[in-house]
Amino acid sequence: MFTGLVETTGTVVSMDPVETGARLALSAPAVARELAIGDSLAVNGCCLTVNASPEGDVVRFDLLAQTLRVTNLGGLEPGDLVNLERALRADSRLGGHFVQGHVDAVGKVIDYTREGQDHQLIIAIPREFLKQLIPKGSIAIDGISLTAAEVHDEAAEVTCWITPHTHAETNLSGQQKGRTVNLEFDLLAKYVQRLVKTG
């Protein structure tokens, strides 16, 4: 379980295809020395398991073919910046919102524009997930807990406002129009939708 409060960013060292998926190596100086084999780390909002003892600042993961299909991790290249968050501890404060690290879908950046000191982020989302999103509700975008300022049902888009701190401390600092982002919708919204369907 995570909160969507990104701790730091990491840099892709390598992304090597293997028969069952891929092997990912990240340079993560801020957290590598505190990780061990079997630990969970959210990478762009996707919960991954450390597969070897970190070597200096480098942390390694095995990615399943399914993970590559349903997230944006398959498109990573050396030098890319990714958001990182370690799993929530039981004695931690809960900021953000409950994030499982289970990516529901990928979206596409329609626009990322500076407006005064903030940035406006507009994401196209798959239409079937609109029912899990409400104005002022929570959404995790590349693992960042954000508030859906506006939900545009007709266009299947969501608008979020990004503070200077979030822009500077996450991979949004290099965000560009047309890029794909991982989306995880609010856990409570999923349960409510399931209850309505089966009730």
Side-chain angles (χ1 to χ4, degrees):
M1 186 70 75
F2 305 90
T3 66
L5 299 183
V6 173
E7 290 185 75
T8 186
T9 55
T11 305
V12 176
V13 175
S14 62
M15 183 71 159
D16 299 320
V18 296
E19 187 176 349
T20 56
R23 290 202 174 103
L24 171 65
L26 297 177
S27 174
V31 297
R33 288 171 176 79
E34 298 179 34
L35 295 171
I37 297 175
D39 283 350
S40 295
L41 186 69
V43 178
N44 277 359
C46 181
C47 181
L48 300 180
T49 302
V50 177
N51 73 357
S53 295
E55 302 166 10
D57 294 338
V58 177
V59 188
R60 301 180 188 279
F61 309 88
D62 290 318
L63 306 184
L64 298 174
Q66 171 73 1
T67 302
L68 300 179
R69 279 196 301 272
V70 301
T71 73
N72 67 2
L73 300 186
L76 292 178
E77 297 179 352
D80 283 350
L81 206 61
V82 292
N83 296 324
L84 304 177
E85 182 190 353
R86 287 171 293 173
L88 178 67
R89 293 186 347 184
D91 62 349
S92 297
R93 289 181 182 271
L94 179 61
H97 70 284
F98 283 121
V99 176
Q100 292 183 292
H102 302 161
V103 174
D104 294 307
V106 293
K108 182 177 287 189
V109 177
I110 299 300
D111 194 28
Y112 191 55
T113 308
R114 183 166 181 169
E115 300 282 348
Q117 67 172 1
D118 301 322
H119 283 74
Q120 184 186 57
L121 174 64
I122 303 176
I123 303 289
I125 66 174
R127 191 167 293 278
E128 62 267 29
F129 290 97
L130 283 172
K131 290 182 179 178
Q132 297 177 7
L133 194 58
I134 60 170
K136 307 302 184 287
S138 296
I139 183 172
I141 297 177
D142 266 357
I144 310 167
S145 175
L146 295 173
T147 299
E150 299 172 30
V151 179
H152 311 280
D153 289 336
E154 212 169 295
E157 295 174 357
V158 60
T159 297
C160 302
W161 286 92
I162 310 300
T163 65
H165 174 79
T166 300
H167 172 80
E169 299 300 321
T170 68
N171 69 352
L172 288 174
S173 59
Q175 196 54 266
Q176 295 177 357
K177 181 177 179 180
R179 283 191 177 177
T180 59
V181 289
N182 291 329
L183 304 175
E184 183 182 331
F185 297 89
D186 186 64
L187 182 61
L188 293 176
K190 296 176 191 177
Y191 279 120
V192 169
Q193 186 180 30
R194 175 70 173 170
L195 287 170
V196 170
K197 277 184 177 180
T198 59

